[in-house]
Amino acid sequence: LAQGLQRVAIVDFDVHHGNGTAEILKALNQPDRLFFCSLHLYDGQDFYPGSGSADDLPHNVMNIAIPPLWRRSGVASFDNLAGRRGFRRAVKDRLLFSLRAFQPDLILISAGFDGACCDIGNKRHGNRCGTAGLDLRPEDYHFVT
């Protein structure tokens, strides 16, 4: 880490899991100095890359796996965890709490915009006509930054 920086947090929000960044942090193995959080869509092996379902606490890696909108069930407790509602709830309930506890000197943002409501990268199997997994709007990106 740069001189004077004791703790650095990396926050990745994208429709896909930040598995590459997570692997780098694991290899560096400095959980007291590095924190990584990936907010991403997760639908098991049905959505690429199929990773990021659980946290890796020994390496200070937090995975916030948001269920896709195509799995909506009509049950409010589940449906409030999906889409932009789930995204905002996860930021408020998990990410902000963890960042405050870690107290980073620097926060790096790795932003993916394929979680936007009409992006094809956000559709199941790249189907242009399918239901989106996330439905993020510009105000959601403003909220998270």
Side-chain angles (χ1 to χ4, degrees):
L1 296 178
Q3 201 168 9
L5 294 178
Q6 296 302 309
R7 295 171 180 235
V8 174
I10 303 168
V11 176
D12 180 333
F13 51 89
D14 192 300
V15 76
H16 300 99
H17 178 230
N19 53 330
T21 306
E23 291 302 318
I24 291 169
L25 264 70
K26 288 178 191 180
L28 292 173
N29 197 24
Q30 295 183 29
D32 56 327
R33 301 188 74 194
L34 298 170
F35 169 82
F36 176 64
C37 177
S38 176
L39 288 102
H40 56 274
L41 187 73
Y42 180 78
D43 195 26
Q45 296 302 313
D46 286 339
F47 193 76
Y48 181 81
S51 57
S53 63
D55 297 332
D56 183 353
L57 297 179
H59 293 101
N60 215 10
V61 172
M62 174 186 281
N63 286 305
I64 301 178
I66 300 170
L69 288 169
W70 60 73
R71 294 281 185 214
R72 280 188 282 207
S73 64
V75 177
S77 60
F78 175 81
D79 291 348
N80 285 333
L81 299 176
R84 61 191 304 239
R85 284 186 196 162
F87 180 84
R88 284 181 175 239
R89 175 173 279 167
V91 169
K92 286 190 267 184
D93 294 350
R94 291 197 61 203
L95 176 58
L96 292 179
F97 176 81
S98 298
L99 285 173
R100 286 183 185 123
F102 185 65
Q103 298 180 337
D105 299 310
L106 177 67
I107 299 173
L108 301 174
I109 296 174
S110 177
F113 295 96
D114 49 358
C117 65
C118 295
D119 193 296
I120 192 169
N122 186 16
K123 306 278 180 130
R124 190 175 194 182
H125 307 299
N127 182 351
R128 288 187 184 276
C129 300
T131 303
L134 290 174
D135 55 349
L136 301 180
R137 308 269 192 282
E139 55 268 24
D140 299 313
Y141 293 108
H142 181 261
F143 169 81
V144 74
T145 57

